[in-house]
Amino acid sequence: MSEDFNSNKRIALDFGLGIGYFRMGKDMFTTNQVYVGNYGNSGQYDPVFWLRLNLKKAKETTTTKRIRKKCSGFSFVIQEAEITEEIETLYAQYLASVNFDGYPSCKDCIPALNDPEDVFDTHMIKIFDQDLLIAVGFFDRGEKSLMSVLHFYHPNYKRFSLGKFLMLLTMDFAKEAQMDFVYPGYITINGTKMDYKVFPQVEAMEVFLTKENTWAPLKNYTKTELDIYYFKQLLGVDFDNLEDAFN
């Protein structure tokens, strides 16, 4: 595969990520809400906001140093992505240990990995405890940014915060490649399961504001303020008129 083809893929990914689009399977997509269940005959949705880590603002913290120290006895490699039986087994063990839905397999998440015409330039981090594979992180590489695709780890190693360690290693890779941003996905307004994505540093995290088509510091917004933004700016709910109607 030519370097020009890889470069074009990376530039296209940078553009898509920059306007709030992320990978799903073979495609790029965006959304402002996720389905969470039914209430009577009505579907219930949770607002979501896309995130990115500004690497120019990211600094080591007491927490990041503690996690690096805790995981210092492990080794890791970063390479072009592959999906093996060993990796699928580890993912199945992880999926069985968590209380949220995920892709049935790594192959379902990254279906075109071995296709030479795949539009994503996918790499991976593998973490080992001696010879035992204990964690894997997939990411798509752009020219000036990268997107985390899928992280998982062996349930027996949960106390080591390997998910966050994968985020730190991803950040390190991006910095060494002189990139500007790492895109970890979205947070939800009413749930907390995605809140780990503001790690490693909320002060360096930015949130995508769809109405303005721009990124803003996450620290400037509470979840309540983002919830109001979702209803007012994206759904067009007029809170002033609603208040008048109930008075």
Side-chain angles (χ1 to χ4, degrees):
M1 187 179 299
S2 72
E3 185 58 34
D4 285 343
F5 184 66
N6 271 336
S7 179
N8 288 336
K9 289 198 296 185
R10 293 173 181 176
I11 292 170
L13 181 67
D14 286 346
F15 177 78
L17 293 172
I19 58 173
Y21 277 72
F22 284 68
R23 171 207 269 266
M24 175 174 278
K26 297 180 181 180
D27 304 309
M28 297 286 284
F29 88 111
T30 192
T31 185
N32 296 310
Q33 59 187 18
V34 291
Y35 175 76
V36 294
N38 283 326
Y39 183 75
N41 295 324
S42 299
Q44 295 293 294
Y45 296 86
D46 195 355
V48 302
F49 284 83
W50 297 100
L51 300 171
R52 73 180 184 187
L53 179 70
N54 188 326
L55 293 171
K56 292 183 174 63
K57 297 179 180 178
K59 300 177 181 178
E60 289 289 338
T61 66
T62 301
T63 301
T64 61
K65 291 176 182 178
R66 183 173 66 248
I67 290 174
R68 289 185 189 275
K69 182 177 181 180
K70 188 162 54 172
C71 296
S72 61
F74 305 136
S75 61
F76 68 90
V77 295
I78 301 178
Q79 62 181 70
E80 290 189 1
E82 62 179 358
I83 297 176
T84 64
E85 184 177 345
E86 180 185 34
I87 289 170
E88 288 285 22
T89 297
L90 178 62
Y91 178 71
Q93 291 172 324
Y94 169 78
L95 192 62
S97 72
V98 296
N99 62 350
F100 53 84
D101 294 333
Y103 288 94
S105 69
C106 296
K107 185 64 176 178
D108 287 301
C109 179
I110 314 173
L113 181 59
N114 296 316
D115 183 349
E117 300 302 317
D118 183 19
V119 297
F120 300 103
D121 185 10
T122 309
H123 289 62
M124 69 188 306
I125 304 167
K126 295 196 290 187
I127 301 176
F128 297 89
D129 183 4
Q130 298 184 27
D131 294 329
L132 178 65
L133 180 66
I134 60 172
V136 173
F138 291 97
F139 63 88
D140 292 328
R141 181 176 180 178
E143 286 288 334
K144 290 296 183 180
S145 58
L146 63 79
M147 173 193 168
S148 294
V149 177
L150 182 65
H151 288 175
F152 51 95
Y153 54 85
H154 196 292
N156 291 350
Y157 288 79
K158 184 176 181 179
R159 66 186 178 89
F160 288 96
S161 304
L162 288 172
K164 291 182 177 179
F165 187 49
L166 282 167
M167 294 178 72
L168 291 175
L169 294 177
T170 302
M171 182 181 72
D172 293 344
F173 177 91
K175 282 186 173 182
E176 290 174 8
Q178 298 183 319
M179 295 181 179
D180 297 325
F181 303 105
V182 170
Y183 293 78
Y186 60 70
I187 55 169
T188 57
I189 295 301
N190 296 310
T192 59
K193 292 178 181 177
M194 299 298 173
D195 286 1
Y196 72 92
K197 292 179 180 179
V198 304
F199 178 85
Q201 189 178 20
V202 67
E203 291 80 8
M205 197 64 67
E206 298 176 352
V207 61
F208 188 66
L209 303 178
T210 305
K211 183 74 172 181
E212 294 81 3
N213 194 33
T214 191
W215 295 86
L218 179 63
K219 66 180 181 180
N220 292 351
Y221 297 89
T222 65
K223 278 197 171 184
T224 298
E225 289 170 331
L226 290 175
D227 198 26
I228 292 172
Y229 178 94
Y230 166 79
F231 280 100
K232 188 172 183 179
Q233 300 298 331
L234 303 183
L235 298 187
V237 175
D238 189 335
F239 287 101
D240 291 334
N241 285 342
L242 283 176
E243 186 177 336
D244 292 340
F246 284 100
N247 289 334

